[in-house]
Amino acid sequence: MKNQTVIRPYVGRFAPSPTGPLHFGSLVCALASYLDAKQHNGKWLLRIEDIDPPREPPGAADAIKRTLESHGLFWDGEVRYQSTRSEAYWECLNKLATLDLTYPCNCTRARLAPLRGCYGGYCRRNPPSQNEPCALRLKVTDLPAAFRHLDNQIEFYDRICGLQRENLAEASGDFVIHRKDGLFAYQLAVVVDDIDQNITDIVRGDDLLDTTARQIFLYHILGHTPPTYAHIPVIKDSNGNKLSKQNHAPAVNDATPLQNLCNALLALGVQPAEGSIEDILNEAAETMSFAQNASID
Ligand code: GLU
């Protein structure tokens, strides 16, 4: 059979963790992924990544939805809550374990700290006893025979950042997909849902660029085609720090959506049109270009 390129209808998403209300940086990310979906006549989904209850103040998910709505960023279909998806995550974890692609790890922070984020496989060589709390790690090297053809040297083309290469053995090592505290790891949940929701295009902040190779590896392991990625420069404060809750970035003011949208568009290198929220969004969906954004960083 000849090779065929399958064109999949564009499905994008905004996937905030409800650790607080949206700040300007997250509004810019939401806007960029929304406009890209509209530019491609695609769908734009909203997924609330609420898998870390201790970090989620009550009401944050609702506040995020209100902010999106007040800025005219209406999503398609029902909101997905990751807190309702445990069964799917367990199913994936069990499948990976059955395929001998995972192993338990009880390494403490003290043992991990000097490794600077790249796990050397201690618990793979020294299996912990089964009756203590363990994380579950996904193997990226010396895979079982059926997976030996998979490369842990990941290469992908980012629409904004260009060609990216990451050797997982050197960058992350075997990585956590289920946490020691019993919570599902972001890496697992994000890929299980992106696959389940047929996401074709991911537009998000470039603070997540270095998580992407691990996600692509999971796609390969699970036998799915990874989406296309565009990582936009994260918004920084005047001290050069990423806007975040930790840095006390203020919540977006829902009472001034026009002004916020114009500022967010300028941050994306788009000159805002005049008119209503709808006019501004429609016009911006036609004019936004990621190629230009790469140079405004
Ligand atoms: N939930 C993640 C966050 O808020 C983003 C997930 C993603 O876009 O892949 O940082």
Side-chain angles (χ1 to χ4, degrees):
M1 206 170 88
K2 276 193 194 154
N3 263 348
Q4 286 185 334
T5 311
V6 181
I7 309 276
R8 300 186 290 168
Y10 185 115
V11 185
R13 54 44 162 201
F14 178 52
S17 305
T19 52
L22 289 191
H23 53 69
F24 181 67
S26 31
L27 179 68
V28 171
C29 287
L31 179 63
S33 70
Y34 172 90
L35 293 176
D36 196 52
K38 298 296 153 189
Q39 195 166 73
H40 292 85
N41 296 317
K43 283 200 161 55
W44 188 65
L45 310 185
L46 174 62
R47 185 170 73 228
I48 301 289
E49 301 210 319
D50 51 351
I51 48 169
D52 195 349
R55 292 181 58 229
E56 295 156 6
D62 287 341
I64 290 173
K65 290 196 290 182
R66 274 198 305 277
T67 298
L68 292 174
E69 285 171 336
S70 64
H71 289 75
L73 302 175
F74 296 104
W75 53 89
D76 292 302
E78 299 283 312
V79 179
R80 171 167 293 195
Y81 292 85
Q82 286 194 322
S83 54
T84 66
R85 297 274 300 150
S86 299
E87 211 175 302
Y89 306 146
W90 274 122
E91 201 179 300
C92 185
L93 286 172
N94 290 337
K95 176 174 165 182
L96 295 170
T98 308
L99 293 167
D100 188 26
L101 287 162
T102 61
Y103 61 91
C105 167
N106 70 346
C107 284
T108 55
R109 277 169 199 240
R111 196 188 286 155
L112 295 174
L115 305 176
R116 296 172 182 274
C118 185
Y119 191 64
Y122 179 87
C123 285
R124 193 166 173 180
R125 295 186 301 276
N126 306 284
S129 84
Q130 291 296 329
N131 45 17
E132 55 186 313
C134 283
L136 204 63
R137 287 185 183 270
L138 183 72
K139 299 175 183 173
V140 301
T141 55
D142 301 318
L143 301 180
F147 295 90
R148 289 250 162 87
H149 61 285
L150 292 184
D151 205 346
N152 60 25
Q153 169 79 34
I154 303 290
E155 251 190 42
F156 65 99
Y157 185 78
D158 185 279
R159 291 167 57 203
I160 295 171
C161 307
L163 185 64
Q164 306 291 310
R165 279 198 192 95
E166 191 171 290
N167 184 312
L168 289 179
E170 289 163 11
S172 65
D174 302 336
F175 61 91
V176 172
I177 53 174
H178 191 230
R179 291 165 34 169
K180 205 186 197 175
D181 57 10
L183 298 177
F184 300 108
Y186 156 66
Q187 298 290 3
L188 176 91
V190 75
V191 171
V192 169
D193 280 323
D194 282 335
I195 290 174
D196 183 67
Q197 296 187 287
N198 296 313
I199 301 298
T200 60
D201 288 78
I202 292 183
V203 178
R204 60 187 179 190
D206 64 6
D207 53 332
L208 293 169
L209 185 61
D210 70 355
T211 68
T212 307
R214 277 169 279 166
Q215 291 166 25
I216 292 176
F217 184 73
L218 253 174
Y219 268 89
H220 292 164
I221 288 273
L222 295 170
H224 287 270
T225 308
T228 300
Y229 293 92
H231 286 89
I232 62 167
V234 293
I235 304 295
K236 303 202 169 130
D237 65 18
S238 51
N239 299 321
N241 296 319
K242 177 195 160 196
L243 288 193
S244 69
K245 207 175 137 225
Q246 290 75 22
N247 293 330
H248 310 292
V252 167
N253 181 354
D254 291 345
T256 57
L258 266 181
Q259 192 186 322
N260 305 335
L261 276 179
C262 290
N263 289 337
L265 285 171
L266 290 171
L268 288 168
V270 178
Q271 194 55 44
E274 304 220 330
S276 65
I277 290 181
E278 210 187 333
D279 297 336
I280 290 178
L281 291 174
N282 287 340
E283 175 82 18
E286 302 212 340
T287 54
M288 184 178 74
S289 155
F290 283 149
Q292 280 171 19
N293 296 339
S295 61
I296 57 154
D297 187 9

